[in-house]
Amino acid sequence: MKIIALESSAVTASVAVAEDETLLAQSFQHSGLTHSATLMPMAADLLKNAGLTLGQMDVVAVAAGPGSFTGVRIGVAAAKGLAWPEDKPCAPCSTLESMAWQCAHMGGEICAAMDARRNQVYCARFRAENGELTRLTGDRALGLDQLAGEVRASGRPQILVGDGAHLVQRALEEQGLPWVLTPPHLRYQTAWGVARCALRMARAGELVSAAAMAPSYHRLSQAERERLEKLGETRAEGQDIANKD
C-alpha cells in the first residue's frame, strides 16, 4: 500500500511517500515560508524526484490536528485537492499519534505533546511495544498540572515527543517524575509519522472520503474564544440593564 502523507500542523512542513512500513521518500522544510506556498510544490517535486505519480498512491494522509489552526486547514485542504480527482481514500491522522509513531521502536510509555498556550498542551499518551502503539488516552487539551497528575498515577517514565515536550519535562521535573526526552530528529512532526499512522488506520478500516475529511482542532481558536467571551459580557450587561429597569 502506497501512501502520500502531508504534515503542516506546526512551523515545519513535510511530505512523505511510504509503502507499508517502508519510507520511500520524504521532503522537510523549515524555511519560514508559509505552508500555503510550500506544501503542494513539495508534494509535486517529491513524487517527480522519486519517480512516482499521484495515480500510484493508494491513500492520501494528512495531519488533521491538533495543531496550528491555519496549518491544519492548509494541510487538510491540500490533501482534499490531491484525493478528490481520483476519489482516493483519505486518512485524517492525529498529529499526536503521528508523532508517537516516530519513536514507537523505543518501547515504554510515550507522551506526545504540543504547546497549546495558556499553560496547556495538546497531548495524548501511548504504550509502545514491539514497534506497535496502544492508546492510553484520547487527544485533548490538558493543563500541565493535570497531565503531571496523570503521569504520577501511571507510575512509569514518559518518553516525551513534540514541540510541547520541554513544557511537560519541566512540569514532571517539578514533581520529581521520571521522563526521557527524544532527540530533535525524532521529536517534531514529520510526514513519515503521518504515513505510519495512516497505515494503521487503513488496516483498521478507518479511512474516509475526501469529502468527509475535516480538521480536528480540539479547542476553539483564540478569535472564537474572544468572540464568545465578548458575547457573554454583552449578554450580562443586557441582563443588568433589564434588572435595573
Side-chain angles (χ1 to χ4, degrees):
M1 179 184 298
K2 287 188 174 67
I3 300 169
I4 183 168
L6 311 178
E7 183 19 287
S8 60
S9 65
V11 295
T12 62
S14 61
V15 180
V17 173
E19 185 166 11
D20 296 327
E21 287 89 353
T22 301
L23 177 64
L24 300 181
Q26 180 167 238
S27 178
F28 180 93
Q29 194 162 319
H30 189 185
S31 62
L33 297 176
T34 62
H35 297 332
S36 59
T38 59
L39 199 60
M40 290 298 277
M42 285 173 68
D45 290 344
L46 182 73
L47 288 170
K48 180 180 178 181
N49 293 338
L52 298 167
T53 67
L54 183 59
Q56 293 175 287
M57 300 298 108
D58 300 300
V59 176
V60 177
V62 66
S68 156
F69 285 76
T70 301
V72 168
R73 280 195 297 268
I74 290 170
V76 170
K80 283 177 175 284
L82 292 174
W84 216 303
E86 297 185 26
D87 195 26
K88 292 186 179 294
C90 298
C93 297
S94 158
T95 310
L96 298 168
E97 181 181 341
S98 299
M99 288 190 292
W101 276 110
Q102 295 167 193
C103 49
H105 63 284
M106 297 178 70
E109 288 194 4
I110 299 171
C111 179
M114 299 175 69
D115 188 357
R117 312 297 181 187
R118 303 173 75 157
N119 208 37
Q120 288 188 327
V121 287
Y122 297 117
C123 62
R125 293 175 52 245
F126 305 84
R127 182 171 61 251
E129 188 175 10
N130 298 322
E132 295 293 331
L133 291 181
T134 300
R135 260 193 186 271
L136 300 177
T137 73
D139 294 357
R140 61 268 165 90
L142 199 64
L144 288 166
D145 288 342
Q146 290 175 277
L147 178 57
E150 187 177 284
V151 170
R152 181 180 294 280
S154 125
R156 296 179 179 274
Q158 300 295 298
I159 301 168
L160 305 181
V161 60
D163 63 26
H166 64 290
L167 299 175
V168 179
Q169 173 191 340
R170 287 203 295 267
L172 298 185
E173 278 183 336
E174 289 173 359
Q175 299 200 27
L177 299 172
W179 51 269
V180 176
L181 189 64
T182 50
H185 68 283
L186 296 176
R187 192 179 312 159
Y188 301 107
Q189 297 91 330
T190 69
W192 158 238
V194 176
R196 186 61 187 82
C197 180
L199 179 63
R200 195 242 353 128
M201 293 177 67
R203 289 172 172 171
E206 297 176 2
L207 301 181
V208 301
S209 67
M213 188 162 57
S216 181
Y217 298 123
H218 296 280
R219 196 172 74 178
L220 295 175
S221 69
Q222 182 176 345
E224 289 170 320
R225 291 196 302 270
E226 290 175 352
R227 181 180 65 82
L228 290 175
E229 289 170 2
K230 186 175 181 180
L231 182 61
E233 291 171 358
T234 301
R235 285 177 176 171
E237 289 172 359
Q239 187 62 47
D240 287 343
I241 292 172
N243 291 339
K244 289 177 183 178
D245 292 344

